[in-house]
Amino acid sequence: MSFLTLSITLIFVLIPILLSKTLRLGLEKDTIIATVRSIIQLLAVGYILKFVFDSESLFYIFLMVTLMIVVATHNAQKKGAAIKGITWKVGVTLVFVEVLTQGILIGFNITPPTAQYVISISGMIIGNSMVLAILFLNRFTAEVDDHQDEMELILSLGGTPKQAIHSQLIKSIKASMIPTIESQKTVGLVQLPGMMSGQIIAGADPIQAVQFQLLIIFLLLTTAAVTSVMLGFLSYPTLFNDRMQLLRGK
Amino acid sequence: MNTSYKPAIHFHEVDYGVEDASILSKITGSFPKGRITTLVGPSGAGKTTLLKLCNGLISPQAGEIYIQGKNINEFAPVELRKSVGMALQSAPMVAGTVMNNLGLPLEIRGEKLSEEDGINLLHDVGLNEDVLNKKVKDLSGGQRQKVSIARTLVNRPDILLLDEITSSLDVTSLKEIEELIVKINQKYGTTIIWITHNLQQALTIGNYTWVMMKGKVIETGESELLESPVNEQVRRFVKGETE
């Protein structure tokens, strides 16, 4: 696609701006900012990726993945600011998910350890893991706020912190995983995943595109489960002290 | 206060606060063993905070608390909470049936409550056995409070802390719960510490009373003190001139 053709697609940006102006939604400025940011960010990433792919340097691959994890951690930790040490907890979770999934993919020779595969798949894994972490932290902090009486009841009867928070932890883990599982139930029927569509548009064999998409779907299931469970079990102990008391000031 | 009874709980110069706000200040005094002591005072006096300190749900910033003569910090939290039971005004329940809730203290330590023991507990608190498999969301306010007390009794606590457990009940349920608490006190020798806004209840049920205001203990003694308080603030509170 030429840049001239691409510029015609700005029609799709003009439509929401016109609608916003007509209906006085007040979203024109945000739409323009979002458009400009996405153009700059994606073009920059495109050129950086081209450079990294061409160099085939392990150092640049590592640098790219590290940058993704740092940005994702920074974004997700805001939702759990009340949890002590949340930044390193989210960071460790994202690193673990990345190492686990790439370890399996490369270890079993499913994908080659090249920049093209590692960076593309890492982007999907880390991005998904970040969204999962945000969903989990949102729900978990709300559950803890809303059920302090129940938690203190179990503590007051001689229960441990793990027993006191068990119900809230399980509910939060399930709630954060459900969107991933539900969206995968209708994949191919309701929506064609972006990566698969992109491959098909780029001229790839649809069956091969589907195979890759299945790989991603399976990966995202692991990502969802490991992110929620690991973040949950890293987070809950910091809500209590060594006298088994629920700490306030969340 | 009558000193012929050993203290079940003793406070010495206890302070508690959250961030910069002081909630309890220089609390010193004892709750006699095997007796019923009521805690009265306006809202915000720090009464519930005092109970939570006794159960170890919170710890003081300064001062010492002794439970049956032993410093509270020497107890393992689980042991402390088994011997100092607590029932709250809101009577929080875990989702499920009455049996699920009665069995909770045992479930916590990996044991199971038998149906027979569940029925006996219900009888102890004046409930019929057909309540056992009822969902907790279908219970009335009075039934809920009774189940909450029965659940606390599973651990056979030496000390029972009650936080306004009758404040939202009708007259019949209130009388039943008052009788139940007196029965528990007399049958098992359980020390009862009972927060109440009902001064008549404090007079008739309690042996002793603590009057608290703004995080301080203002006056303590036998419950009759509420009929002729020495302190001017307490006199005004008893007359209903302060909330």
Side-chain angles (χ1 to χ4, degrees), chain A residues 149-150 152-160 163 241-246 248-249, chain B residues 52 55-59 72-73 75 77-78 81 90 92-93 104-105 108 151 155:
Chain A
D149 272 4
E150 271 175 59
E152 284 201 331
L153 163 72
I154 294 171
L155 291 175
S156 76
L157 290 169
T160 61
Q163 288 169 325
N241 64 16
D242 58 358
R243 296 291 300 164
M244 295 190 182
Q245 294 164 343
L246 182 61
R248 307 287 160 161
Chain B
K52 287 187 173 182
N55 184 260
L57 281 177
I58 52 177
S59 294
I72 201 167
N73 295 326
F75 285 89
V78 170
R81 290 165 190 170
S90 58
M93 297 277 148
L104 189 61
I108 279 169
R151 183 178 56 196
N155 281 334

Side-chain angles (χ1 to χ4, degrees), chain B residues 173-236:
Chain B
S173 299
L174 182 142
K175 287 290 165 208
E176 283 173 359
I177 287 189
E178 284 180 348
E179 284 168 16
L180 166 69
I181 297 303
V182 171
K183 192 176 95 182
I184 291 167
N185 169 250
Q186 289 173 352
K187 189 173 171 186
Y188 303 110
T190 309
T191 304
I192 310 281
I193 298 151
W194 189 343
I195 295 178
T196 179
H197 272 119
N198 182 337
L199 296 183
Q200 195 54 40
Q201 186 177 57
L203 262 168
T204 54
I205 307 297
N207 305 116
Y208 299 100
T209 197
W210 280 29
V211 185
M212 294 181 67
M213 289 177 183
K214 295 178 182 170
K216 289 190 166 78
V217 179
I218 306 296
E219 197 165 344
T220 64
E222 294 186 358
S223 298
E224 287 70 28
L225 82 81
L226 294 170
E227 289 176 321
S228 51
V230 176
N231 184 285
E232 180 55 29
Q233 288 181 80
V234 177
R235 198 174 297 149
R236 282 171 51 209

Side-chain angles (χ1 to χ4, degrees), chain B residues 84-98:
Chain B
V84 184
M86 192 170 178
L88 300 169
Q89 179 187 17
S90 58
M93 297 277 148
V94 293
T97 63
V98 169

Side-chain angles (χ1 to χ4, degrees), chain A:
Chain A
M1 190 190 292
S2 69
F3 276 104
L4 179 67
T5 318
L6 186 63
S7 62
I8 297 171
T9 62
L10 286 172
I11 291 169
F12 297 121
V13 177
L14 281 176
I15 293 170
I17 289 173
L18 285 174
L19 279 174
S20 174
K21 208 166 174 59
T22 313
L23 297 174
R24 294 182 186 165
L25 300 177
L27 293 172
E28 303 94 289
K29 193 179 160 194
D30 279 339
T31 309
I32 292 166
I33 289 172
T35 307
V36 173
R37 277 189 65 161
S38 56
I39 291 169
I40 295 170
Q41 285 165 203
L42 285 177
L43 280 177
V45 164
Y47 284 111
I48 291 169
L49 286 180
K50 188 170 165 33
F51 170 75
V52 174
F53 289 176
D54 289 346
S55 76
E56 276 297 345
S57 156
L58 270 180
F59 173 74
Y60 287 125
I61 297 176
F62 177 79
L63 205 64
M64 279 293 290
V65 172
T66 304
L67 185 69
M68 286 174 184
I69 290 174
V70 169
V71 174
T73 300
H74 175 72
N75 208 19
Q77 58 85 28
K78 291 179 207 161
K79 294 289 174 191
I83 298 169
K84 205 174 160 190
I86 191 62
T87 305
W88 77 259
K89 288 180 172 78
V90 172
V92 165
T93 303
L94 295 183
V95 169
F96 182 79
V97 169
E98 167 71 3
V99 170
L100 176 77
T101 48
Q102 289 291 357
I104 293 170
L105 289 175
I106 296 169
F108 284 96
N109 216 12
I110 299 167
T111 54
T114 57
Q116 183 189 350
Y117 284 90
V118 173
I119 292 174
S120 309
I121 293 173
S122 293
M124 283 185 266
I125 292 167
I126 295 165
N128 194 64
S129 194
M130 177 189 77
V131 172
L132 256 295
I134 289 170
L135 286 175
F136 171 80
L137 291 170
N138 251 344
R139 181 64 184 256
F140 187 57
T141 46
E143 284 283 334
V144 170
D145 279 348
D146 295 346
H147 295 92
Q148 287 195 359
D149 272 4
E150 271 175 59
M151 290 162 63
E152 284 201 331
L153 163 72
I154 294 171
L155 291 175
S156 76
L157 290 169
T160 61
K162 191 175 173 184
Q163 288 169 325
I165 209 163
H166 181 262
S167 166
Q168 285 66 45
L169 191 59
I170 297 301
K171 270 192 244 171
S172 309
I173 290 173
K174 277 175 79 173
S176 58
M177 286 178 64
I178 283 170
T180 304
I181 297 170
E182 287 302 316
S183 75
Q184 296 191 357
K185 281 184 187 168
T186 55
V187 75
L189 298 174
V190 179
Q191 84 277 29
L192 291 178
M195 191 202 77
M196 193 176 102
S197 307
Q199 277 193 302
I200 293 171
I201 289 167
D205 173 21
I207 300 300
Q208 200 188 19
V210 165
Q211 282 177 338
F212 261 100
Q213 190 58 50
L214 282 173
L215 163 81
I216 297 301
I217 284 174
F218 301 154
L219 265 181
L220 295 189
L221 282 173
T222 283
T223 304
V226 174
T227 303
S228 303
V229 172
M230 192 167 163
L231 198 52
F233 280 85
L234 284 176
S235 299
Y236 90 80
T238 48
L239 298 176
F240 301 87
N241 64 16
D242 58 358
R243 296 291 300 164
M244 295 190 182
Q245 294 164 343
L246 182 61
L247 297 172
R248 307 287 160 161
K250 288 171 295 304

